[in-house]
Coordinates of all heavy atoms in Angstrom, one line a residue:
M631 N 43.3 -62.9 -37.7 CA 41.9 -63.0 -38.0 C 41.7 -62.7 -39.5 O 42.0 -61.6 -39.9 CB 40.9 -62.3 -37.2 CG 39.5 -62.3 -37.5 SD 38.4 -61.3 -36.5 CE 37.6 -62.6 -35.6
N632 N 41.2 -63.6 -40.3 CA 41.0 -63.3 -41.7 C 39.5 -63.1 -42.0 O 38.7 -63.8 -41.3 CB 41.4 -64.5 -42.5 CG 42.9 -64.6 -42.5 OD1 43.6 -63.7 -42.5 ND2 43.4 -65.9 -42.6
P633 N 39.1 -62.2 -42.9 CA 37.7 -61.9 -43.2 C 37.2 -63.1 -43.9 O 37.9 -63.8 -44.6 CB 37.7 -60.8 -44.1 CG 39.1 -60.6 -44.6 CD 40.0 -61.3 -43.6
T634 N 35.9 -63.4 -43.7 CA 35.2 -64.5 -44.3 C 34.1 -64.0 -45.1 O 33.5 -62.9 -44.8 CB 34.7 -65.6 -43.3 OG1 33.8 -64.9 -42.4 CG2 35.9 -66.2 -42.5
R635 N 33.6 -64.7 -46.1 CA 32.5 -64.4 -46.9 C 31.4 -65.5 -46.8 O 31.7 -66.6 -47.0 CB 32.8 -64.2 -48.4 CG 31.7 -63.9 -49.2 CD 32.0 -63.7 -50.6 NE 32.4 -62.3 -50.7 CZ 32.7 -61.7 -51.8 NH1 32.8 -62.4 -53.0 NH2 33.1 -60.5 -51.9
D636 N 30.2 -65.0 -46.3 CA 29.1 -65.9 -46.2 C 28.2 -65.7 -47.4 O 27.5 -64.6 -47.5 CB 28.3 -65.7 -44.9 CG 27.2 -66.7 -44.7 OD1 27.1 -67.6 -45.5 OD2 26.5 -66.5 -43.7
T637 N 28.1 -66.6 -48.3 CA 27.3 -66.4 -49.5 C 25.8 -66.6 -49.3 O 25.0 -66.3 -50.1 CB 27.7 -67.3 -50.6 OG1 27.6 -68.6 -50.2 CG2 29.1 -67.0 -51.1
H638 N 25.4 -67.1 -48.1 CA 24.0 -67.3 -47.7 C 23.4 -66.3 -46.8 O 22.4 -66.4 -46.2 CB 23.9 -68.7 -47.1 CG 24.4 -69.8 -47.9 ND1 23.7 -70.2 -49.1 CD2 25.5 -70.6 -47.9 CE1 24.4 -71.2 -49.7 NE2 25.4 -71.5 -48.9
A639 N 24.1 -65.1 -46.7 CA 23.6 -64.1 -45.8 C 22.4 -63.4 -46.4 O 22.3 -63.3 -47.7 CB 24.7 -63.0 -45.7
T640 N 21.5 -63.1 -45.6 CA 20.2 -62.5 -46.0 C 20.1 -61.0 -45.7 O 21.0 -60.5 -44.9 CB 19.0 -63.2 -45.5 OG1 19.0 -63.1 -44.1 CG2 19.1 -64.7 -45.9
L641 N 19.1 -60.3 -46.0 CA 18.9 -59.0 -45.7 C 18.7 -58.8 -44.2 O 19.2 -57.9 -43.6 CB 17.7 -58.4 -46.4 CG 17.3 -57.0 -46.2 CD1 18.4 -56.1 -46.6 CD2 16.0 -56.6 -46.9
V642 N 18.1 -59.8 -43.6 CA 17.9 -59.8 -42.1 C 19.3 -59.9 -41.4 O 19.5 -59.2 -40.5 CB 17.0 -61.0 -41.7 CG1 16.9 -61.1 -40.2 CG2 15.6 -60.8 -42.3
D643 N 20.1 -60.7 -41.9 CA 21.5 -60.8 -41.3 C 22.2 -59.4 -41.5 O 22.9 -59.0 -40.5 CB 22.3 -61.8 -42.1 CG 21.8 -63.3 -41.8 OD1 21.1 -63.5 -40.8 OD2 22.0 -64.1 -42.8
L644 N 22.1 -58.7 -42.6 CA 22.7 -57.5 -42.8 C 22.1 -56.5 -41.8 O 22.9 -55.7 -41.2 CB 22.5 -57.0 -44.2 CG 23.0 -55.6 -44.6 CD1 24.5 -55.5 -44.5 CD2 22.6 -55.2 -45.9
L645 N 20.8 -56.4 -41.7 CA 20.2 -55.5 -40.9 C 20.6 -55.7 -39.4 O 20.9 -54.8 -38.6 CB 18.7 -55.6 -41.0 CG 17.8 -54.6 -40.2 CD1 18.2 -53.1 -40.6 CD2 16.4 -54.8 -40.4
D646 N 20.6 -57.0 -39.0 CA 21.1 -57.3 -37.6 C 22.5 -56.8 -37.4 O 22.8 -56.3 -36.3 CB 21.0 -58.9 -37.5 CG 21.3 -59.3 -36.0 OD1 20.8 -58.7 -35.1 OD2 22.2 -60.2 -35.9
R647 N 23.4 -57.0 -38.3 CA 24.8 -56.6 -38.2 C 24.9 -55.0 -38.1 O 25.6 -54.5 -37.3 CB 25.6 -57.1 -39.4 CG 27.0 -56.6 -39.4 CD 27.9 -57.7 -39.1 NE 29.3 -57.2 -39.2 CZ 30.3 -57.7 -38.6 NH1 30.0 -58.8 -37.9 NH2 31.4 -57.3 -38.7
V648 N 24.1 -54.3 -38.9 CA 24.1 -52.9 -38.8 C 23.6 -52.3 -37.6 O 24.2 -51.4 -37.0 CB 23.3 -52.3 -40.1 CG1 23.1 -50.8 -39.9 CG2 24.1 -52.5 -41.4
L649 N 22.5 -52.9 -37.1 CA 21.9 -52.4 -35.8 C 22.8 -52.8 -34.6 O 22.8 -52.1 -33.6 CB 20.5 -53.1 -35.6 CG 19.5 -52.5 -36.6 CD1 18.1 -53.2 -36.3 CD2 19.3 -51.0 -36.5
D650 N 23.6 -53.9 -34.7 CA 24.4 -54.3 -33.6 C 25.7 -53.6 -33.6 O 26.1 -53.1 -32.5 CB 24.7 -55.8 -33.8 CG 25.6 -56.4 -32.6 OD1 25.3 -56.0 -31.5 OD2 26.5 -57.1 -32.9
K651 N 26.3 -53.4 -34.7 CA 27.6 -52.7 -34.8 C 27.5 -51.2 -35.1 O 28.3 -50.4 -34.7 CB 28.5 -53.4 -35.9 CG 28.8 -54.8 -35.6 CD 29.7 -55.0 -34.4 CE 29.9 -56.4 -34.2 NZ 30.7 -56.8 -33.0
G652 N 26.5 -50.8 -35.9 CA 26.4 -49.4 -36.3 C 26.9 -49.1 -37.7 O 27.8 -49.8 -38.2
L653 N 26.5 -48.0 -38.2 CA 26.9 -47.6 -39.5 C 27.0 -46.1 -39.5 O 26.1 -45.4 -39.1 CB 25.9 -48.1 -40.6 CG 26.1 -47.7 -42.0 CD1 27.2 -48.6 -42.6 CD2 24.9 -47.9 -42.8
I654 N 28.1 -45.5 -40.0 CA 28.2 -44.1 -40.1 C 28.3 -43.7 -41.6 O 29.0 -44.3 -42.4 CB 29.6 -43.6 -39.5 CG1 29.6 -44.0 -38.0 CG2 29.8 -42.1 -39.7 CD1 28.7 -43.2 -37.1
L655 N 27.4 -42.7 -42.0 CA 27.4 -42.2 -43.3 C 27.9 -40.8 -43.3 O 27.3 -40.0 -42.6 CB 26.0 -42.3 -43.9 CG 25.8 -41.7 -45.3 CD1 26.6 -42.5 -46.3 CD2 24.3 -41.7 -45.6
D656 N 28.9 -40.5 -44.1 CA 29.5 -39.1 -44.2 C 29.6 -38.8 -45.6 O 30.4 -39.3 -46.3 CB 30.8 -39.0 -43.4 CG 31.3 -37.6 -43.2 OD1 30.5 -36.7 -43.5 OD2 32.4 -37.5 -42.8
A657 N 28.8 -37.8 -46.1 CA 28.8 -37.5 -47.5 C 28.7 -36.0 -47.8 O 28.1 -35.3 -47.0 CB 27.6 -38.2 -48.2
D658 N 29.4 -35.6 -48.8 CA 29.4 -34.2 -49.3 C 28.8 -34.3 -50.7 O 29.2 -35.1 -51.6 CB 30.8 -33.6 -49.4 CG 31.3 -33.4 -48.0 OD1 30.6 -33.1 -47.1 OD2 32.5 -33.7 -47.8
L659 N 27.8 -33.4 -51.0 CA 27.2 -33.4 -52.3 C 27.2 -31.9 -52.8 O 26.8 -31.0 -52.1 CB 25.7 -33.8 -52.1 CG 24.9 -33.8 -53.4 CD1 25.4 -34.8 -54.5 CD2 23.4 -34.1 -53.1
I660 N 27.7 -31.7 -54.0 CA 27.7 -30.3 -54.6 C 27.0 -30.4 -55.9 O 27.4 -31.3 -56.8 CB 29.2 -29.8 -54.7 CG1 29.8 -29.7 -53.3 CG2 29.1 -28.4 -55.4 CD1 31.3 -29.4 -53.4
I661 N 26.0 -29.6 -56.1 CA 25.3 -29.6 -57.4 C 25.8 -28.4 -58.3 O 25.8 -27.3 -57.8 CB 23.8 -29.5 -57.1 CG1 23.3 -30.7 -56.4 CG2 23.0 -29.3 -58.5 CD1 21.9 -30.7 -56.0
H662 N 26.3 -28.7 -59.5 CA 26.8 -27.8 -60.4 C 25.9 -27.6 -61.6 O 25.3 -28.6 -62.1 CB 28.2 -28.3 -61.0 CG 29.3 -28.3 -60.0 ND1 30.2 -27.3 -59.7 CD2 29.7 -29.2 -59.0 CE1 31.0 -27.6 -58.8 NE2 30.8 -28.8 -58.4
V663 N 25.8 -26.4 -62.0 CA 25.1 -26.1 -63.3 C 26.0 -25.3 -64.1 O 26.4 -24.1 -63.7 CB 23.8 -25.4 -63.1 CG1 23.1 -25.0 -64.3 CG2 22.8 -26.3 -62.3
A664 N 26.4 -25.7 -65.3 CA 27.3 -25.0 -66.2 C 28.6 -24.7 -65.5 O 29.2 -23.7 -65.7 CB 26.6 -23.8 -66.8
G665 N 29.1 -25.7 -64.7 CA 30.4 -25.5 -64.0 C 30.3 -24.5 -62.8 O 31.4 -24.3 -62.2
I666 N 29.2 -24.0 -62.4 CA 29.0 -23.1 -61.3 C 28.3 -23.9 -60.1 O 27.3 -24.4 -60.3 CB 28.2 -22.0 -61.7 CG1 28.8 -21.2 -62.8 CG2 27.9 -21.0 -60.4 CD1 27.9 -20.1 -63.4
P667 N 29.1 -24.0 -59.0 CA 28.5 -24.7 -57.8 C 27.3 -23.9 -57.3 O 27.4 -22.8 -57.0 CB 29.6 -24.9 -56.9 CG 30.6 -23.8 -57.3 CD 30.4 -23.6 -58.7
L668 N 26.1 -24.6 -57.3 CA 24.9 -23.8 -56.8 C 24.4 -24.2 -55.4 O 24.0 -23.5 -54.7 CB 23.7 -24.0 -57.8 CG 23.9 -23.4 -59.2 CD1 22.7 -23.9 -60.0 CD2 24.0 -22.0 -59.1
L669 N 24.6 -25.5 -55.1 CA 24.1 -26.0 -53.9 C 25.1 -27.0 -53.3 O 25.6 -27.9 -54.0 CB 22.8 -26.7 -54.1 CG 22.0 -27.4 -53.0 CD1 21.6 -26.2 -52.0 CD2 20.8 -28.1 -53.4
G670 N 25.3 -26.9 -52.0 CA 26.2 -27.8 -51.3 C 25.5 -28.4 -50.1 O 24.8 -27.7 -49.4
V671 N 25.6 -29.8 -50.0 CA 25.0 -30.5 -48.9 C 26.1 -31.3 -48.1 O 26.8 -32.0 -48.8 CB 23.9 -31.3 -49.3 CG1 23.3 -32.1 -48.1 CG2 22.8 -30.5 -50.0
K672 N 26.1 -31.2 -46.8 CA 27.0 -32.0 -46.0 C 26.1 -32.9 -45.2 O 25.3 -32.4 -44.3 CB 28.0 -31.2 -45.1 CG 28.9 -32.0 -44.3 CD 30.0 -31.3 -43.8 CE 31.0 -32.1 -43.1 NZ 31.7 -33.1 -43.9
L673 N 26.2 -34.2 -45.3 CA 25.4 -35.1 -44.6 C 26.2 -36.0 -43.6 O 27.2 -36.6 -44.1 CB 24.7 -36.0 -45.5 CG 23.8 -37.1 -45.0 CD1 22.7 -36.5 -44.2 CD2 23.3 -38.0 -46.1
R674 N 25.8 -36.1 -42.4 CA 26.5 -37.0 -41.5 C 25.4 -37.7 -40.7 O 24.6 -37.1 -40.1 CB 27.4 -36.3 -40.6 CG 28.1 -37.2 -39.5 CD 29.2 -36.6 -38.8 NE 30.3 -37.4 -39.1 CZ 31.5 -37.2 -38.7 NH1 31.8 -36.1 -38.0 NH2 32.5 -38.0 -39.0
A675 N 25.3 -39.0 -40.8 CA 24.3 -39.8 -40.2 C 24.8 -41.0 -39.5 O 25.8 -41.6 -40.0 CB 23.2 -40.2 -41.2
A676 N 24.3 -41.4 -38.4 CA 24.6 -42.6 -37.6 C 23.4 -43.5 -37.6 O 22.3 -43.1 -37.2 CB 25.1 -42.3 -36.3
L677 N 23.6 -44.7 -38.0 CA 22.5 -45.7 -37.9 C 22.9 -46.9 -37.1 O 24.0 -47.5 -37.4 CB 22.1 -46.2 -39.4 CG 21.1 -47.3 -39.5 CD1 19.7 -46.7 -39.1 CD2 21.0 -47.8 -40.9
A678 N 22.2 -47.1 -36.0 CA 22.5 -48.2 -35.1 C 21.3 -48.5 -34.3 O 20.3 -47.7 -34.2 CB 23.7 -47.8 -34.2
G679 N 21.3 -49.6 -33.6 CA 20.2 -50.0 -32.7 C 20.3 -49.2 -31.4 O 21.3 -48.5 -31.1
M680 N 19.2 -49.1 -30.6 CA 19.2 -48.3 -29.5 C 20.2 -48.7 -28.4 O 20.9 -47.9 -27.8 CB 17.8 -48.4 -28.8 CG 16.7 -47.6 -29.5 SD 17.1 -45.9 -29.6 CE 17.2 -45.4 -27.9
E681 N 20.5 -50.0 -28.3 CA 21.4 -50.5 -27.3 C 22.9 -50.1 -27.7 O 23.6 -49.6 -26.8 CB 21.4 -52.1 -27.3 CG 20.2 -52.6 -26.6 CD 20.2 -54.1 -26.6 OE1 21.2 -54.8 -26.9 OE2 19.1 -54.7 -26.2
T682 N 23.1 -50.0 -29.0 CA 24.5 -49.6 -29.5 C 24.7 -48.1 -29.3 O 25.7 -47.7 -28.8 CB 24.7 -50.0 -31.0 OG1 24.4 -51.4 -31.2 CG2 26.0 -49.6 -31.5
M683 N 23.6 -47.4 -29.6 CA 23.6 -45.9 -29.3 C 23.8 -45.6 -27.9 O 24.7 -44.7 -27.6 CB 22.3 -45.2 -29.8 CG 22.2 -45.3 -31.3 SD 23.2 -44.2 -32.1 CE 22.0 -43.5 -33.4
L684 N 23.1 -46.3 -27.0 CA 23.2 -46.0 -25.6 C 24.7 -46.4 -25.1 O 25.2 -45.7 -24.2 CB 22.2 -46.7 -24.8 CG 20.7 -46.1 -25.0 CD1 19.8 -47.1 -24.3 CD2 20.7 -44.7 -24.4
K685 N 25.2 -47.5 -25.6 CA 26.5 -48.0 -25.2 C 27.6 -47.0 -25.5 O 28.5 -46.8 -24.7 CB 26.8 -49.3 -25.9 CG 28.1 -49.9 -25.5 CD 28.2 -51.3 -26.1 CE 29.0 -51.2 -27.4 NZ 29.3 -52.6 -27.9
Y686 N 27.5 -46.2 -26.7 CA 28.5 -45.3 -27.0 C 28.0 -43.9 -26.5 O 28.8 -42.9 -26.8 CB 28.7 -45.3 -28.5 CG 29.4 -46.5 -28.9 CD1 28.7 -47.5 -29.6 CD2 30.8 -46.7 -28.6 CE1 29.4 -48.7 -30.0 CE2 31.4 -47.9 -29.0 CZ 30.7 -48.9 -29.7 OH 31.4 -50.0 -30.0
G687 N 26.9 -43.7 -25.9 CA 26.5 -42.4 -25.3 C 26.0 -41.4 -26.3 O 25.9 -40.2 -26.0
I688 N 25.6 -41.9 -27.5 CA 25.1 -41.0 -28.5 C 23.6 -40.6 -28.3 O 23.3 -39.4 -28.4 CB 25.2 -41.7 -29.9 CG1 26.6 -41.9 -30.2 CG2 24.5 -40.9 -31.0 CD1 26.9 -42.8 -31.5
W689 N 22.8 -41.5 -27.8 CA 21.4 -41.2 -27.7 C 21.1 -40.5 -26.4 O 20.1 -39.8 -26.3 CB 20.7 -42.5 -27.7 CG 19.2 -42.4 -28.0 CD1 18.3 -42.5 -27.0 CD2 18.6 -42.1 -29.1 NE1 17.0 -42.4 -27.6 CE2 17.2 -42.1 -28.9 CE3 19.0 -41.8 -30.4 CZ2 16.2 -41.8 -29.9 CZ3 18.1 -41.5 -31.4 CH2 16.6 -41.6 -31.1
Q690 N 21.9 -40.6 -25.4 CA 21.6 -40.1 -24.0 C 21.4 -38.6 -24.1 O 20.5 -38.0 -23.5 CB 22.7 -40.5 -23.0 CG 22.4 -40.1 -21.6 CD 23.4 -40.7 -20.7 OE1 24.4 -41.1 -21.1 NE2 23.2 -40.4 -19.4
D691 N 22.4 -37.8 -24.7 CA 22.2 -36.4 -24.7 C 20.9 -35.9 -25.4 O 20.3 -35.0 -25.0 CB 23.5 -35.8 -25.4 CG 24.8 -36.0 -24.7 OD1 24.6 -36.2 -23.5 OD2 25.8 -35.9 -25.3
W692 N 20.6 -36.6 -26.5 CA 19.4 -36.2 -27.3 C 18.2 -36.5 -26.4 O 17.3 -35.7 -26.4 CB 19.4 -37.1 -28.6 CG 18.2 -36.7 -29.4 CD1 18.0 -35.7 -30.4 CD2 16.9 -37.4 -29.4 NE1 16.8 -35.8 -30.9 CE2 16.1 -36.7 -30.4 CE3 16.4 -38.5 -28.7 CZ2 14.8 -37.2 -30.5 CZ3 15.1 -38.9 -28.9 CH2 14.3 -38.2 -29.8
D693 N 18.1 -37.6 -25.8 CA 17.0 -38.0 -25.0 C 16.8 -37.0 -23.9 O 15.7 -36.5 -23.6 CB 17.2 -39.4 -24.4 CG 16.0 -39.9 -23.5 OD1 14.9 -39.7 -24.1 OD2 16.2 -40.4 -22.5
E694 N 17.9 -36.6 -23.2 CA 17.8 -35.6 -22.1 C 17.3 -34.3 -22.7 O 16.5 -33.6 -22.0 CB 19.2 -35.5 -21.4 CG 19.5 -36.7 -20.6 CD 20.9 -36.6 -20.0 OE1 21.6 -35.6 -20.3 OE2 21.3 -37.6 -19.3
A695 N 17.8 -33.9 -23.8 CA 17.4 -32.6 -24.4 C 15.9 -32.6 -24.8 O 15.2 -31.6 -24.5 CB 18.2 -32.3 -25.7
Q696 N 15.4 -33.7 -25.3 CA 14.0 -33.8 -25.7 C 13.1 -33.8 -24.5 O 12.0 -33.2 -24.5 CB 13.8 -35.1 -26.5 CG 14.5 -35.1 -27.8 CD 14.0 -33.9 -28.7 OE1 12.8 -33.6 -28.8 NE2 15.0 -33.2 -29.3
R697 N 13.5 -34.5 -23.4 CA 12.7 -34.5 -22.2 C 12.7 -33.0 -21.6 O 11.7 -32.6 -21.1 CB 13.3 -35.4 -21.1 CG 13.1 -36.8 -21.5 CD 13.7 -37.8 -20.5 NE 13.5 -39.2 -20.9 CZ 12.5 -39.9 -20.6 NH1 11.5 -39.5 -19.8 NH2 12.5 -41.2 -21.0
A698 N 13.8 -32.3 -21.7 CA 13.8 -30.9 -21.1 C 12.9 -30.0 -21.9 O 12.1 -29.2 -21.4 CB 15.2 -30.3 -21.2
I699 N 12.9 -30.2 -23.3 CA 12.0 -29.4 -24.1 C 10.5 -29.7 -23.9 O 9.7 -28.8 -23.8 CB 12.4 -29.6 -25.6 CG1 13.7 -29.0 -25.9 CG2 11.3 -29.1 -26.5 CD1 14.3 -29.4 -27.3
A700 N 10.2 -31.1 -23.7 CA 8.9 -31.5 -23.5 C 8.4 -30.9 -22.1 O 7.2 -30.4 -21.9 CB 8.8 -32.9 -23.5
T701 N 9.2 -30.9 -21.1 CA 8.9 -30.4 -19.8 C 8.6 -28.9 -19.8 O 7.7 -28.4 -19.3 CB 10.0 -30.7 -18.7 OG1 10.2 -32.1 -18.7 CG2 9.6 -30.2 -17.4
E702 N 9.4 -28.1 -20.6 CA 9.2 -26.7 -20.7 C 8.0 -26.4 -21.4 O 7.2 -25.5 -21.0 CB 10.5 -26.1 -21.4 CG 10.4 -24.6 -21.5 CD 10.4 -23.9 -20.1 OE1 11.0 -24.5 -19.2 OE2 9.8 -22.8 -20.1
E703 N 7.7 -27.1 -22.5 CA 6.5 -26.9 -23.3 C 5.3 -27.2 -22.3 O 4.3 -26.5 -22.4 CB 6.4 -27.8 -24.5 CG 7.4 -27.2 -25.6 CD 7.4 -28.2 -26.8 OE1 6.7 -29.2 -26.8 OE2 8.1 -27.8 -27.7
Y704 N 5.4 -28.2 -21.6 CA 4.2 -28.6 -20.7 C 4.0 -27.5 -19.6 O 2.9 -27.2 -19.3 CB 4.6 -30.0 -20.1 CG 3.4 -30.5 -19.2 CD1 2.3 -31.0 -19.8 CD2 3.4 -30.4 -17.8 CE1 1.2 -31.5 -19.1 CE2 2.4 -30.9 -17.1 CZ 1.3 -31.5 -17.7 OH 0.2 -31.9 -17.1
R705 N 5.1 -27.0 -19.1 CA 4.9 -25.9 -18.1 C 4.3 -24.7 -18.7 O 3.4 -24.0 -18.1 CB 6.3 -25.5 -17.5 CG 6.8 -26.6 -16.5 CD 8.2 -26.2 -16.0 NE 8.6 -27.2 -15.0 CZ 9.8 -27.3 -14.6 NH1 10.7 -26.4 -14.9 NH2 10.1 -28.3 -13.8
K706 N 4.7 -24.3 -19.9 CA 4.1 -23.2 -20.6 C 2.5 -23.5 -20.9 O 1.7 -22.6 -20.7 CB 4.8 -22.9 -22.0 CG 6.1 -22.3 -21.8 CD 6.7 -22.1 -23.2 CE 8.1 -21.5 -23.0 NZ 8.8 -21.4 -24.4
K707 N 2.3 -24.7 -21.2 CA 0.9 -25.1 -21.4 C 0.1 -24.9 -20.1 O -1.1 -24.5 -20.1 CB 0.8 -26.5 -21.9 CG -0.5 -26.9 -22.6 CD -0.4 -28.3 -23.1 CE -1.5 -28.6 -24.0 NZ -1.5 -29.9 -24.6
L708 N 0.7 -25.3 -19.0 CA 0.0 -25.2 -17.6 C -0.3 -23.7 -17.3 O -1.3 -23.5 -16.7 CB 0.8 -25.9 -16.6 CG 0.7 -27.4 -16.4 CD1 1.6 -27.9 -15.3 CD2 -0.8 -27.8 -16.1
T709 N 0.6 -22.9 -17.6 CA 0.5 -21.5 -17.2 C -0.5 -20.8 -18.0 O -1.1 -19.8 -17.6 CB 1.8 -20.7 -17.3 OG1 2.3 -20.8 -18.7 CG2 2.8 -21.3 -16.3
R710 N -0.8 -21.3 -19.2 CA -1.8 -20.7 -20.1 C -3.2 -21.2 -19.9 O -4.2 -20.7 -20.4 CB -1.4 -20.7 -21.6 CG -0.3 -19.7 -21.9 CD 0.1 -19.9 -23.3 NE 1.2 -20.7 -23.4 CZ 1.6 -21.5 -24.4 NH1 0.8 -21.5 -25.5 NH2 2.7 -22.2 -24.4
A711 N -3.3 -22.4 -19.3 CA -4.5 -23.1 -19.2 C -5.5 -22.6 -18.2 O -5.0 -22.1 -17.1 CB -4.3 -24.6 -18.9
P712 N -6.8 -22.6 -18.4 CA -7.7 -22.2 -17.3 C -7.7 -23.2 -16.2 O -7.2 -24.3 -16.4 CB -9.1 -22.2 -18.1 CG -8.8 -22.2 -19.6 CD -7.4 -22.8 -19.7
E713 N -8.2 -22.7 -15.1 CA -8.1 -23.6 -13.9 C -8.7 -25.0 -14.0 O -8.1 -25.9 -13.5 CB -8.9 -22.9 -12.7 CG -8.1 -21.7 -12.1 CD -6.8 -22.2 -11.4 OE1 -6.7 -23.2 -10.8 OE2 -5.8 -21.5 -11.6
G714 N -9.8 -25.1 -14.7 CA -10.5 -26.4 -14.9 C -9.6 -27.4 -15.7 O -9.6 -28.6 -15.5
E715 N -8.8 -26.8 -16.7 CA -8.0 -27.7 -17.5 C -6.7 -28.1 -16.8 O -6.1 -29.1 -17.1 CB -7.6 -27.0 -18.8 CG -8.8 -26.8 -19.7 CD -8.4 -26.2 -21.0 OE1 -7.3 -26.3 -21.4 OE2 -9.3 -25.5 -21.7
I716 N -6.2 -27.4 -15.8 CA -5.0 -27.7 -15.2 C -5.1 -29.1 -14.5 O -4.2 -29.8 -14.6 CB -4.6 -26.6 -14.2 CG1 -4.2 -25.3 -14.9 CG2 -3.5 -27.1 -13.2 CD1 -3.9 -24.2 -14.1
S717 N -6.2 -29.3 -13.8 CA -6.3 -30.6 -13.2 C -6.3 -31.7 -14.2 O -5.8 -32.8 -13.9 CB -7.6 -30.6 -12.2 OG -8.7 -30.4 -13.0
T718 N -7.0 -31.5 -15.3 CA -7.0 -32.5 -16.4 C -5.6 -32.7 -16.9 O -5.2 -33.9 -17.2 CB -7.9 -32.0 -17.5 OG1 -9.2 -31.7 -17.0 CG2 -8.1 -33.1 -18.6
L719 N -4.8 -31.7 -17.2 CA -3.5 -31.8 -17.7 C -2.6 -32.5 -16.7 O -1.8 -33.4 -17.1 CB -2.9 -30.4 -18.0 CG -3.5 -29.7 -19.2 CD1 -3.0 -28.3 -19.3 CD2 -3.2 -30.5 -20.5
C720 N -2.7 -32.2 -15.4 CA -1.9 -32.9 -14.4 C -2.2 -34.3 -14.3 O -1.4 -35.2 -14.2 CB -2.1 -32.2 -13.0 SG -1.4 -30.6 -13.0
H721 N -3.5 -34.7 -14.4 CA -3.9 -36.1 -14.4 C -3.3 -36.8 -15.6 O -2.9 -38.0 -15.5 CB -5.5 -36.1 -14.4 CG -6.0 -37.5 -14.4 ND1 -5.9 -38.3 -13.3 CD2 -6.6 -38.3 -15.3 CE1 -6.4 -39.6 -13.5 NE2 -6.9 -39.5 -14.8
K722 N -3.3 -36.2 -16.8 CA -2.8 -36.9 -18.0 C -1.3 -37.1 -17.9 O -0.7 -38.0 -18.5 CB -3.1 -36.0 -19.2 CG -4.6 -36.1 -19.6 CD -4.8 -35.3 -20.9 CE -6.2 -35.3 -21.3 NZ -6.5 -34.5 -22.5
S723 N -0.5 -36.3 -17.1 CA 0.9 -36.4 -17.1 C 1.4 -37.4 -16.2 O 2.6 -37.8 -16.3 CB 1.5 -35.0 -16.6 OG 1.2 -34.8 -15.3
V724 N 0.6 -38.1 -15.4 CA 1.0 -39.1 -14.5 C 1.5 -40.3 -15.3 O 0.9 -40.8 -16.2 CB -0.2 -39.6 -13.6 CG1 0.2 -40.8 -12.7 CG2 -0.6 -38.4 -12.8
G725 N 2.8 -40.7 -15.1 CA 3.3 -41.9 -15.8 C 4.0 -41.6 -17.1 O 4.5 -42.4 -17.8
T726 N 4.0 -40.3 -17.5 CA 4.6 -39.9 -18.8 C 6.0 -39.5 -18.7 O 6.7 -39.3 -19.7 CB 3.8 -38.8 -19.5 OG1 3.9 -37.6 -18.7 CG2 2.4 -39.2 -19.8
G727 N 6.5 -39.2 -17.5 CA 7.9 -38.8 -17.3 C 8.1 -37.3 -17.3 O 9.1 -36.7 -17.1
V728 N 6.9 -36.6 -17.6 CA 7.0 -35.1 -17.6 C 6.6 -34.6 -16.2 O 5.6 -35.0 -15.6 CB 5.9 -34.6 -18.6 CG1 5.9 -33.1 -18.6 CG2 6.2 -35.1 -20.0
T729 N 7.4 -33.7 -15.7 CA 7.3 -33.2 -14.3 C 6.4 -32.0 -14.4 O 6.7 -31.1 -15.1 CB 8.6 -32.9 -13.7 OG1 9.5 -34.1 -13.9 CG2 8.5 -32.5 -12.3
A730 N 5.4 -31.9 -13.6 CA 4.6 -30.8 -13.4 C 5.2 -29.8 -12.5 O 6.2 -30.0 -11.8 CB 3.2 -31.1 -12.9
L731 N 4.7 -28.5 -12.5 CA 5.2 -27.4 -11.6 C 5.2 -27.9 -10.2 O 5.4 -28.1 -9.3 CB 4.4 -26.2 -11.8 CG 4.4 -25.5 -13.1 CD1 3.4 -24.4 -13.2 CD2 5.8 -25.0 -13.3

């Protein structure tokens, strides 16, 4: 298979390709002043569509962690709320995926 070049590709085509296949950015940045390194930054980022992230299992762990945090925060809110607000909070949680006590 030989690579081909499409001279009529647009920004939409590029974006579609990145979201479909994914893109990994791994960068190290060091800021020097007068030859002395002052600041170092290590950056690692993944850019892809949701289907691609789920296919490779990248998004699933983050999603589960966020749901656990939201559930714990909701439980704390319920324990601190006065009795009248508890029924309101429970009513609002229906259909949100957050589990009440």
Side-chain angles (χ1 to χ4, degrees):
M631 175 182 247
N632 292 327
T634 60
R635 175 177 276 186
D636 185 4
T637 57
H638 301 291
T640 64
L641 183 61
V642 174
D643 296 330
L644 175 66
L645 185 61
D646 184 51
R647 175 106 177 159
V648 166
L649 292 177
D650 183 44
K651 300 295 182 183
L653 176 76
I654 300 290
L655 175 65
D656 191 7
D658 293 321
L659 175 68
I660 300 174
I661 298 175
H662 293 265
V663 174
I666 301 171
L668 295 178
L669 182 65
V671 177
K672 180 161 183 70
L673 174 68
R674 178 167 239 181
L677 176 66
M680 286 301 299
E681 290 178 10
T682 304
M683 293 283 223
L684 289 172
K685 182 170 96 174
Y686 291 107
I688 296 171
W689 195 257
Q690 186 175 6
D691 294 338
W692 181 88
D693 183 47
E694 289 172 0
Q696 293 304 312
R697 287 179 186 268
I699 290 169
T701 301
E702 184 62 30
E703 288 176 359
Y704 187 75
R705 285 182 180 166
K706 286 179 183 177
K707 195 175 192 180
L708 276 178
T709 58
R710 285 182 262 154
E713 284 297 320
E715 290 183 25
I716 291 178
S717 61
T718 305
L719 289 172
C720 290
H721 180 69
K722 287 182 181 177
S723 71
V724 175
T726 62
V728 177
T729 307
L731 295 172

